[in-house]
Amino acid sequence: MASSGVVVLDNGGGLCKAGFGGERDPAAVVPNCLGRSSSSNRKWLVADQLLAPDADVTSVSLRRPFDRGYLVNPELEREVWERLLRSLLRVDPSSSSLLLVEPLFSPPAVQRATDELVFEDLGFRALCVADSPALVHLYEASRRPPGGAQCSLVVDCGFSFTHAAPVVDNFTLNYGVRRLDLGGKALTNYLKELVSYRSVNLMDETLIIDDAKEKLCLVSLGIPRDLRLARRSGKDNPFRCTYVLPDGITHTKGYVKDLEEARRYLSLPDGSSTAQCGLKEVIEFQDDTEKLEDRRKIDLTKNEFNLTNERFLVPEMLFRPADLGMNQAGLAECIVRAVSSCHPHLRPVLFESIILTGGSTLFPRFAERLERELRPLVPDNYQVKITTQEECMEGWVAFGI
């Protein structure tokens, strides 16, 4: 265990990120759930066991301790934390302190259940609870020149919901937080519906569709133009790509059939370097034991599905939820409302200090699209500056106590 004696745990609805105080990167990033395949009678797989190379991810039944962004099943959470702390981090809670990142506005009942889990079930000697926006702001403030602005607007696109939170002097202004009931889970469900309606029924394949979403989805910079291009056939369609489903024998995980095909949209106008950075993650998710040439030669009789306009229609939910019949404002309007709720002297500084965090902000072109959406809504004498997650990876900082 690290000499600091501090365990840092970012307990999200989709993923648990855990590490040690003073270290830059998490030591473990695992699904915050239990899963069991319907095709087997095996026991429930916990956290990292779902990521094992031989794990069967087809038709997996998932049990999550979180629902709509908050802890609802402490018993399930205890199993995940036990696996994470004792098997992966190999720490003794009785000799460690815990820095726990919790969602904003956790109800008192949830806070009490968390305290019981930390002290009575696991036996930590000390607990410090923090919210994600304050920690993200603290990290970014440490990287700014001395004397810089001590406030920022943190936009967190997480698993369960998305919120814009103003932070001043390392304190989140709760009265200014604005939330969208849209997150990574909603995007995955929407992609499941689109693929199931147009190609093959994958409504029970949450993990597979989630993987396809992370590897292939992108943000459109011009919906009308991209919709016209997506109607083309063959190689004239820059968005068309193929995702191969696992067969349980030769491939236990799904993968992108042709990476070059998936990257063709980069040749379109407005294809900036940020898009290239996001697509590089596609290669990292692939199975390193297989060659790209072998993937292109996969037998076409195998189960697979094509994606075209689904690639950019799914992230479009965050910017235009009303187009899908949802009675919610888009992300840009949410940000403007959060800033407008603050003191007038803070507003120009907040627009100049927008920080993106959360998995959904990793979609290629996300920051550029958000800036284009914000500019017409922000006064002309205000600047808009958006800080993305460093090196296109999910932001993480482990602070000592």
Side-chain angles (χ1 to χ4, degrees):
M1 190 186 75
S3 58
S4 68
V6 177
V7 177
V8 184
L9 178 58
D10 184 356
N11 196 45
L15 295 174
C16 278
K17 287 81 68 178
F20 301 105
E23 296 184 359
R24 180 186 182 277
D25 298 315
V29 180
V30 300
N32 191 6
C33 62
L34 285 71
R36 182 174 63 185
S37 175
S38 61
S39 61
S40 66
N41 294 322
R42 297 180 181 178
K43 63 179 182 179
W44 288 89
L45 302 179
V46 182
D48 65 299
Q49 295 175 339
L50 289 166
L51 304 177
D54 59 344
D56 184 5
V57 298
T58 57
S59 301
V60 171
S61 299
L62 297 178
R63 299 173 62 196
R64 298 186 184 275
F66 270 61
D67 184 37
R68 300 185 182 182
Y70 297 104
L71 180 66
V72 296
N73 194 327
E75 291 300 318
L76 285 182
E77 195 64 89
R78 182 179 59 81
E79 293 188 49
V80 175
W81 285 9
E82 286 275 3
R83 173 73 184 177
L84 181 61
L85 296 171
R86 303 192 188 280
S87 299
L88 300 181
L89 299 187
R90 299 183 183 278
V91 299
D92 180 12
S94 63
S95 60
S96 305
S97 301
L98 178 65
L99 171 57
L100 178 64
V101 182
E102 276 194 334
L104 292 168
F105 310 120
S106 291
V110 173
Q111 296 175 2
R112 289 193 296 270
T114 302
D115 292 342
E116 292 177 2
L117 179 60
V118 171
F119 291 113
E120 298 181 12
D121 295 342
L122 297 177
F124 277 98
R125 66 183 184 187
L127 170 66
C128 176
V129 178
D131 58 78
S132 175
L135 292 182
V136 172
H137 165 79
L138 182 59
Y139 177 48
E140 284 298 323
S142 68
R143 302 170 63 214
R144 296 172 182 168
Q150 294 301 312
C151 59
S152 59
L153 185 80
V154 178
V155 179
D156 188 351
C157 298
F159 176 78
S160 302
F161 49 75
T162 298
H163 62 248
V167 183
V168 179
D169 291 333
N170 302 329
F171 289 97
T172 303
L173 304 182
N174 290 339
Y175 65 83
V177 176
R178 296 298 181 267
R179 169 174 148 173
L180 298 178
D181 292 325
L182 290 171
K185 181 179 180 180
L187 300 186
T188 299
N189 290 338
Y190 184 39
L191 183 57
K192 281 197 297 186
E193 293 178 3
L194 291 177
V195 173
S196 299
Y197 178 76
R198 299 178 179 182
S199 300
V200 57
N201 185 5
L202 296 175
M203 291 302 294
D204 295 329
E205 306 295 351
T206 300
L207 295 182
I208 293 175
I209 292 296
D210 197 54
D211 181 66
K213 177 197 70 176
E214 294 174 0
K215 293 176 179 178
L216 294 173
C217 283
L218 59 125
V219 173
S220 171
L221 298 180
I223 282 291
R225 179 204 65 176
D226 290 346
L227 284 174
R228 288 194 300 269
L229 293 174
R231 294 190 186 102
R232 296 178 180 179
S233 59
K235 294 184 179 180
D236 292 332
N237 186 339
F239 299 104
R240 185 181 180 86
C241 62
T242 303
Y243 186 88
V244 180
L245 299 170
D247 58 12
I249 302 175
T250 58
H251 305 283
T252 57
K253 299 289 188 295
Y255 59 87
V256 179
K257 188 172 184 179
D258 190 338
L259 296 178
E260 293 301 322
E261 180 185 51
R263 288 196 294 256
R264 279 186 301 165
Y265 77 94
L266 293 175
S267 62
L268 296 175
D270 298 320
S272 62
S273 59
T274 56
Q276 296 180 14
C277 183
L279 254 290
K280 286 170 63 178
E281 294 183 353
V282 174
I283 300 177
E284 298 173 1
F285 277 98
Q286 304 292 336
D287 186 356
D288 295 332
T289 62
E290 299 175 1
K291 296 181 179 179
L292 297 180
E293 293 80 4
D294 295 336
R295 297 191 183 171
R296 298 192 183 102
K297 298 177 183 178
I298 294 296
D299 185 358
L300 295 180
T301 61
K302 292 190 175 181
N303 287 336
E304 59 188 31
F305 60 87
N306 295 324
L307 292 178
T308 53
N309 59 16
E310 298 93 343
R311 298 180 67 184
F312 55 84
L313 288 179
V314 169
E316 191 68 15
M317 287 182 67
L318 295 172
F319 299 96
R320 293 285 190 271
D323 292 348
L324 299 174
M326 305 180 69
N327 188 23
Q328 293 194 65
L331 181 57
E333 291 86 350
C334 178
I335 292 174
V336 171
R337 292 177 184 178
V339 174
S340 299
S341 66
C342 299
H343 193 279
H345 292 169
L346 292 176
R347 294 172 189 173
V349 184
L350 290 174
F351 279 124
E352 293 178 14
S353 307
I354 299 175
I355 305 172
L356 301 182
T357 186
S360 295
T361 64
L362 294 176
F363 289 130
R365 302 174 175 175
F366 186 96
E368 186 175 353
R369 170 66 182 277
L370 180 58
E371 184 174 354
R372 293 188 181 190
E373 295 275 332
L374 280 173
R375 190 64 268 180
L377 304 177
V378 176
D380 294 338
N381 58 329
Y382 290 178
Q383 294 184 1
V384 176
K385 182 179 179 182
I386 299 176
T387 302
T388 59
Q389 300 180 53
E390 187 180 16
E391 298 176 352
C392 296
M393 295 299 292
E394 186 166 358
W396 165 274
V397 169
F399 296 98
I401 296 178

